[in-house]
Amino acid sequence: MSQGNLQIIDCPPKHLEDYHQFTPEIVDEVQTLANHFRGLKVAHVNATALGGGVAEILRCLVPLQNDAGLQSSWYVIPPDDAFFEVTKQIHNFLQGKEGALTPEQRQIYIEYNRFLGALLSKIDTDVLIIHDPQPAAALTFLTGAKPKLALWRCHIDTSTPNRSVWDFLLPFLKNFDHYVFTMAEYTNSAFPQDKISLITPHIDPLSPKNIPMNKEEAKNYLTRFGINPSQPLITQISRFDPWKDPKGVIDAYRLAKKEFPDLQLAMVAQMATDDPEGVRIYEEVKSYAKSEAGIFLFTNLPDNDLAVNAFQTASDIILQKSIREGFGLTVTEAMWKGAVVVGGSVGGIKLQIQDGVNGFLVNSPSEAAARVILLLKNPQLKSQLSQAARRQVLDNFLMPHKFLQYLQLFSKLNLSLLLPQPPNLPLPFRVLPP
Amino acid sequence: MSQGNLQIIDCPPKHLEDYHQFTPEIVDEVQTLANHFRGLKVAHVNATALGGGVAEILRCLVPLQNDAGLQSSWYVIPPDDAFFEVTKQIHNFLQGKEGALTPEQRQIYIEYNRFLGALLSKIDTDVLIIHDPQPAAALTFLTGAKPKLALWRCHIDTSTPNRSVWDFLLPFLKNFDHYVFTMAEYTNSAFPQDKISLITPHIDPLSPKNIPMNKEEAKNYLTRFGINPSQPLITQISRFDPWKDPKGVIDAYRLAKKEFPDLQLAMVAQMATDDPEGVRIYEEVKSYAKSEAGIFLFTNLPDNDLAVNAFQTASDIILQKSIREGFGLTVTEAMWKGAVVVGGSVGGIKLQIQDGVNGFLVNSPSEAAARVILLLKNPQLKSQLSQAARRQVLDNFLMPHKFLQYLQLFSKLNLSLLLPQPPNLPLPFRVLPP
């Protein structure tokens, strides 16, 4: 039934030394610890090479792992429409959607993963990291020897899944040696605590979206979109999706505008043109905005990464008024640029923003408006929060941290003992707390 | 009148060693030669940090020069609407437009460049490379010592400029020590031959637009845009602009379709939404295409660089049916991916395509159609041309070649003699033929 082959993804090279300027201690620690895993073969497997946070992360992490001496590869599973239709359903079910998979859908999932298991069996690897539910059952169908470590990296919330779908998946998931989730709230009690590690998403400070941009240049760049650089600007960057509360953003803007009449609002979205739901909500938001002067709605800006960088750099305040949120990488990106973020008090936004310390957490449009007004009135407060915001990302959410966390996990699992010990290293190597 | 400051542009680091895999000899030569220029201060000055071929090139060349030990920087002039309005006119005049600058426009150009001269005087540099006409007069207004080498890098055709505008600019241009043009046809007889060097644009094989993409993954990516991966596909990537002959492209497609009824045509453009001319021509082309099945028109695709990469990788044939063309970097990008390009026999396309050897040069839609049909009928011929196309770029048009050409120019001008000689180098250093 299924056909095609694994696609190995070539990434432009990255060099750890280039990250030294940002987090010297972390990079040094990565380099020291990576020496214990020189030659360790790591294979990442996921469902897509393009688009989405996972692909963005692997595009940086895999070349960095190679730069540090690991043998890291990234494989994308061959596309299959029927299979992807089923896994889209599974995704929704895991987030709590009611209903059940049909016997035919289960069959499609199993057969594709059986086929995938045969493909994965040809990979010679020490560590197999399978991302998300799509290829997760393939581990069960490996035909040869199992890797030394099989790890499920789950990026979605599995805490309250649809029961019947979870019961279907769990036997496959149980075969993994270890599990990595974004945060504690996303884990499922079916997995023993000692087999779970938490690693958040991270951003690449050297990607076009995050490379430092001069604030004046950024403001100038936005003039092409009609933004007036001499008037204050607040921006929300996110899909048009009810969970991002786009109407609440407009409400907050209108409240703040009463005090700052020349305030501008930009709402910037990447939108799949084949996503009818997204287009419908965009139209709703557009009609809600009533062509009001000062409100700018953008979809699919040219040079998206640079445009997002410019909006995050040039805005006085970034909103992320989500009602529900995974991690919220746009919050990380904005804080990294020293933007003060006023974010919904949900999900991963709470991991990033400490209310009143490096941004603000809010629960309603009026709260959001109050924080916007407070910040516009107090440039010094804004400047303090801005510095703390950048510090927060510098200390926790740059790609070298992620690399280090994986190395620490490998250490904890005693993986380096499985390799021939390099002769020139001080032994016993550092034992990290679990 | 004018205000603002030079903006220094920070680029993500690039490493020469990463290019060794493509052109080992060239990289080795760059490294050897660069040793003679260790510490040489090079300042590039241009008008924009974002968008356009020059910015794309500097974003790679400047970090590579730094990686090799030069001290290279990139400065962008402060934006000024009135000035940019004038330089847009100058650009058109240089390409032959009739008319003249008003006294006021001349005044704006001179005053802004006088202001810029003062800004540039603060830069401590050995080599000053000014790109294109906008900041070209600033050299005349430097208040301090002149750099050891002042170089005008002109990317546009100055062979038959508007006489009165040229007479206005020439005294400023004459102050440069040396001139770099894209090709001989673009030079102006006002400059002595021995002061002219030719350096074409080049592509970065490690940018997201040019990183190798698996052909199957690329085909799969295009399905999201409605392209059927099992039917043949021809693509033209360029603005909607009469000089790119978009209607001729559709004519060629319709002729070829008579022999290959399932042939698909994609026309992919980045389009500034504030460019009324572009929007008008797009509408014309759309109406010319008459919603015909198999014709796909795209403007501002999400993830543009990846999308362009996917189209260039997945297409059976790339068209670039220009009637007039600068260099044609999209041709270089496509040939680098092993696409067979059927291109108009004009401008820089002729520098890249050798007719029948690594692509085809054509002069009409019917010729283009004949070549498309020939290629679709002869997979072996297509495969031969494809290999030769990639070879052409590998041998001539990758960024390390450009770096080497600049170094050779610095050598020719005996620039390294102006630096303290590094003690550990064999002397006399290599003398390169002029």
Side-chain angles (χ1 to χ4, degrees), chain B residues 188-386:
Chain B
N188 187 288
S189 54
F191 306 121
Q193 278 301 315
D194 64 344
K195 286 193 168 188
I196 293 177
S197 294
L198 303 178
I199 300 182
T200 65
H202 292 77
I203 61 168
D204 178 4
L206 292 175
S207 73
K209 210 195 268 178
N210 296 315
I211 191 91
M213 186 181 273
N214 177 294
K215 192 156 185 151
E216 289 310 307
E217 171 72 20
K219 284 190 179 227
N220 172 46
Y221 188 65
L222 298 189
T223 59
R224 73 183 64 187
F225 304 126
I227 306 288
N228 185 329
S230 61
Q231 296 173 210
L233 170 68
I234 60 179
T235 298
Q236 173 153 314
I237 292 169
S238 60
R239 297 192 315 276
F240 286 104
D241 172 331
W243 299 119
K244 313 295 183 189
D245 195 18
K247 292 184 188 172
V249 168
I250 293 179
D251 291 341
Y253 165 73
R254 285 180 171 145
L255 288 169
K257 202 178 178 179
K258 289 182 184 164
E259 297 238 6
F260 291 89
D262 63 350
L263 186 62
Q264 306 169 97
L265 167 68
M267 300 177 77
V268 180
Q270 276 276 71
M271 200 162 74
T273 44
D274 59 353
D275 170 16
E277 171 82 355
V279 173
R280 189 179 59 71
I281 293 162
Y282 169 70
E283 291 300 337
E284 269 182 41
V285 174
K286 205 169 146 184
S287 113
Y288 195 74
K290 290 186 192 136
S291 312
E292 180 173 330
I295 301 183
F296 300 82
L297 305 185
F298 301 106
T299 58
N300 301 333
L301 288 175
D303 289 327
N304 182 64
D305 282 356
L306 289 176
V308 166
N309 195 336
F311 270 105
Q312 290 171 332
T313 305
S315 295
D316 293 273
I317 297 157
I318 293 286
L319 293 183
Q320 188 60 52
K321 231 208 80 34
S322 305
I323 293 166
R324 185 172 168 171
E325 185 64 72
F327 180 70
L329 270 173
T330 50
V331 171
T332 331
E333 292 163 8
M335 289 173 78
W336 168 240
K337 286 143 201 159
V340 178
V341 181
V342 174
S345 184
V346 291
I349 299 180
K350 287 189 291 181
L351 281 184
Q352 302 183 65
I353 297 180
Q354 294 165 276
D355 189 40
V357 175
N358 54 26
F360 286 114
L361 294 171
V362 297
N363 291 295
S364 68
S366 61
E367 268 184 55
R371 295 319 193 186
V372 167
I373 291 166
L374 180 70
L375 287 164
L376 290 177
K377 281 190 178 164
N378 293 279
Q380 206 184 338
L381 170 67
K382 184 159 156 283
S383 159
Q384 279 166 11
L385 296 185
S386 160

Side-chain angles (χ1 to χ4, degrees), chain B residues 57 153 181-182 198-202 327 351 396-397 402 405:
Chain B
I57 286 166
R153 173 57 176 112
F181 287 91
T182 298
L198 303 178
I199 300 182
T200 65
H202 292 77
F327 180 70
L351 281 184
N396 297 289
F397 300 118
K402 181 178 216 78
Q405 287 167 335

Side-chain angles (χ1 to χ4, degrees), chain A residues 113-146:
Chain A
N113 269 283
R114 190 193 306 279
F115 157 73
L116 205 54
L119 295 181
L120 290 179
S121 299
K122 294 177 201 154
I123 298 177
D124 171 27
T125 190
D126 301 308
V127 180
L128 179 64
I129 304 181
I130 293 187
H131 292 258
D132 290 328
Q134 297 98 333
L139 180 71
T140 307
F141 298 112
L142 289 186
T143 54
K146 276 185 76 169

Side-chain angles (χ1 to χ4, degrees), chain A residues 6-15 17-18 21 48-51 59 67 76-77 79 84 206-208 211-214 216-217 220-221 224-225 270-274 300-306 310, chain B residues 6-15 17-18 21 48-51 59 67 76-77 79 84 206-208 211-214 216-217 220-221 224-225 270-274 300-306 310:
Chain A
L6 293 169
Q7 285 147 17
I8 190 155
I9 306 298
D10 288 310
C11 304
K14 299 265 179 187
H15 300 271
E17 68 189 62
D18 293 332
Q21 57 179 312
T48 173
L50 299 165
R59 206 166 280 282
D67 185 58
V76 170
I77 64 176
F84 282 156
L206 292 176
S207 74
I211 192 91
M213 186 182 272
N214 177 294
E216 289 311 306
E217 170 74 18
N220 173 47
Y221 189 66
R224 72 183 65 187
F225 305 127
Q270 275 274 73
M271 200 162 73
T273 44
D274 59 353
N300 300 334
L301 288 176
D303 288 328
N304 182 66
D305 283 355
L306 290 175
Chain B
L6 293 168
Q7 285 146 19
I8 189 155
I9 306 299
D10 287 310
C11 305
K14 299 265 179 186
H15 300 271
E17 69 189 62
D18 293 332
Q21 57 180 311
T48 173
L50 300 165
R59 206 165 280 281
D67 186 59
V76 171
I77 63 177
F84 282 157
L206 292 175
S207 73
I211 191 91
M213 186 181 273
N214 177 294
E216 289 310 307
E217 171 72 20
N220 172 46
Y221 188 65
R224 73 183 64 187
F225 304 126
Q270 276 276 71
M271 200 162 74
T273 44
D274 59 353
N300 301 333
L301 288 175
D303 289 327
N304 182 64
D305 282 356
L306 289 176

